[in-house]
Amino acid sequence: MTESAEDRSKRKFCEYLNSYQWVKQISIFYDETDVAIQNALDDGLRLRKALARAFPDSVFLWRLALKNLKGRGVTPYWTAFTTGDFRTAGLSHYVSKFDGCSVKVRRIGESKISSYTRSVLRENPHNLKAVFGDRKINRFSLQNKSAKPLIEK
């Protein structure tokens, strides 16, 4: 039996999630749903490239997700796991270039990674086509993967 594209995507993301020693989780949120839908894909691409160039010694695992905001509908946002020990202030310079965005950075431990992995494998992926239409969307991206060694299993 062949693996569906959805299952393959979930499996590959979880493999990457469990292959590095992640230190921080970065989340980029939009203030307005309409702006998020219009700009999230292009802004995400530019932001991922800028951070990968600015921090070549850090690995980034980016994921596009959807958040259900009461009364405002579904809004896309970006989240990244990184091996770099960033602070919000250090990333604000890059995020401030995008209209109506805010950044949240938090330390992430092994238990949170395990919980996130279980959720990704258990839940159906967010319906990005309902928000963005038929555009080709890469749900996740691993950048600077050779910057840090993989965790020994």
Side-chain angles (χ1 to χ4, degrees):
M1 184 170 152
T2 61
E3 182 178 40
S4 71
E6 182 180 291
D7 288 340
R8 183 174 53 251
S9 181
K10 289 164 57 169
R11 178 181 53 80
K12 289 295 289 179
F13 178 81
C14 289
E15 282 177 14
Y16 291 139
L17 190 59
N18 291 296
S19 294
Y20 292 89
Q21 186 66 48
W22 305 112
V23 177
K24 296 283 179 108
Q25 181 179 7
I26 304 166
S27 296
I28 312 293
F29 298 101
Y30 285 85
D31 300 330
E32 300 290 328
T33 300
D34 294 341
V35 173
I37 293 170
Q38 182 178 351
N39 297 337
L41 297 178
D42 294 331
D43 287 354
L45 179 62
R46 293 190 350 239
L47 181 63
R48 291 189 325 252
K49 285 182 178 180
L51 290 178
R53 278 193 306 266
F55 304 102
D57 295 334
S58 297
V59 181
F60 294 91
L61 177 58
W62 289 94
R63 185 166 194 249
L64 179 60
L66 301 175
K67 183 176 181 102
N68 194 1
L69 301 174
K70 291 183 181 174
R72 295 193 310 183
V74 176
T75 280
Y77 71 96
W78 287 97
T79 191
F81 299 93
T82 181
T83 58
D85 195 8
F86 298 105
R87 299 194 189 306
T88 301
L91 297 172
S92 293
H93 165 73
Y94 298 96
V95 176
S96 67
K97 296 178 182 179
F98 304 103
D99 292 331
C101 287
S102 60
V103 63
K104 179 180 176 184
V105 178
R106 67 178 178 173
R107 184 162 293 286
I108 190 154
E110 207 47 51
S111 64
K112 183 65 177 170
I113 295 292
S114 296
S115 171
Y116 201 92
T117 300
R118 285 191 307 274
S119 293
V120 167
L121 291 173
R122 181 181 63 242
E123 304 293 331
N124 289 329
H126 296 144
N127 187 359
L128 299 178
K129 285 194 183 289
V131 175
F132 296 108
D134 286 334
R135 290 177 66 177
K136 172 148 176 26
I137 301 169
N138 293 327
R139 291 183 177 278
F140 68 90
S141 171
L142 182 68
Q143 294 182 297
N144 297 346
K145 63 183 171 186
S146 61
K148 299 274 185 190
L150 297 171
I151 295 174
E152 295 294 325
K153 298 286 179 183

